[in-house]
Amino acid sequence: MVKIAPSILSADFANLERDLHAIERAGADMAHVDVMDGVFVPNITIGIPVVASIRRVTSLPLDVHLMITQPHRYVERFAGAGADYITVHYESETDENISRSIELIHRCNAKAGLSIKPETPAAAVLPWLSELDLVLVMTVEPGFGGQHLIEAELDKVRALRGEISRRRLSVELEVDGGVNARTAGSCALAGADILVAGSAVFGSDDMAGAISALRCQTPITG
Ligand code: DX5
Ligand code: ZN
């Protein structure tokens, strides 16, 4: 069954503990944490101390999405703060430093992800595919919640799902941006294993209903 990862970007930052407990009770599978540096993307959010603090108040796996330049400089510190998954962007590093980031993340016993922005072709991640635990396909321009999913990005999800199956890899495929009850079905049908959703979950008065609506839109693949 598809996993749902609410993005705390849409939570109340003054009440993160309350909001994390709310998504736990509502049936979330993990908490998605968007880290932005104001350089790689035009927005600034949270960093290592916040990850360390939320680690202490939730048992949900922390899925940390680094939208920062040269993330290899920070991946060990995010792992030390308690991140379970650490995803870096293809566009934010040299090829050499992407390999280095993956190695460092694994050395810290965390799961390593690689993400691509809408303008980047799916083929960009292929050189690392067998070393990765997760590929994150951005279905909006990274930086802000509440945008519309770019349908054409689902072609990349289909292509990567095909490649992961053909090579019999166990890489998880995650979709992030504009996922809601209307778009979740196409994301899952395209082959996504994990759906990130910020506004669709935190913007709802009924988080459990919102999470199950995201799941129920998804076809059961056994
Ligand atoms: C955008 C972030 C997303 C964002 C998704 O750069 O990576 O995780 O929070 O928000 P929604 O679900 O509202 O599009
Ligand atoms: Zn994200």
Side-chain angles (χ1 to χ4, degrees), residues 7 9 32-36 63-67 89 136 138 142 174 176-177 196:
S7 164
L9 186 60
H32 184 83
V33 182
D34 288 307
V35 176
M36 305 187 189
D63 173 30
V64 175
H65 178 192
L66 297 182
M67 286 161 275
H89 263 271
L136 167 50
M138 288 302 303
E174 183 175 49
D176 184 6
V196 175

Side-chain angles (χ1 to χ4, degrees), residues 129-161:
L129 196 60
S130 60
E131 296 160 49
L132 290 167
D133 301 290
L134 178 113
V135 172
L136 167 50
V137 176
M138 288 302 303
T139 40
V140 296
E141 227 19 88
F144 301 94
Q147 306 180 69
H148 290 293
L149 179 134
I150 305 166
E151 297 268 348
E153 296 307 304
L154 297 182
D155 290 341
K156 289 187 205 168
V157 177
R158 275 183 278 277
L160 288 164
R161 168 54 59 209

Side-chain angles (χ1 to χ4, degrees), residues 27-143:
D29 297 288
M30 52 179 84
H32 184 83
V33 182
D34 288 307
V35 176
M36 305 187 189
D37 66 354
V39 179
F40 180 67
V41 288
N43 195 6
I44 300 177
T45 55
I46 56 173
I48 297 155
V50 176
V51 172
S53 294
I54 63 177
R55 174 71 296 160
R56 289 195 285 274
V57 300
T58 182
S59 54
L60 287 174
L62 298 181
D63 173 30
V64 175
H65 178 192
L66 297 182
M67 286 161 275
I68 64 175
T69 49
Q70 301 191 308
H72 72 276
R73 296 174 301 159
Y74 295 102
V75 291
E76 287 164 295
R77 280 184 267 171
F78 278 101
D84 296 280
Y85 291 78
I86 300 174
T87 295
V88 300
H89 263 271
Y90 169 78
E91 304 84 0
S92 66
E93 283 281 25
T94 60
D95 287 5
E96 194 185 347
N97 282 337
I98 291 171
S99 302
R100 195 153 144 216
S101 294
I102 296 169
E103 200 185 310
L104 289 171
I105 294 166
H106 282 155
R107 222 184 278 163
C108 297
N109 292 318
K111 292 187 176 179
L114 186 60
S115 181
I116 46 174
K117 298 208 288 186
E119 78 245 20
T120 305
V125 304
L126 296 182
W128 295 278
L129 196 60
S130 60
E131 296 160 49
L132 290 167
D133 301 290
L134 178 113
V135 172
L136 167 50
V137 176
M138 288 302 303
T139 40
V140 296
E141 227 19 88

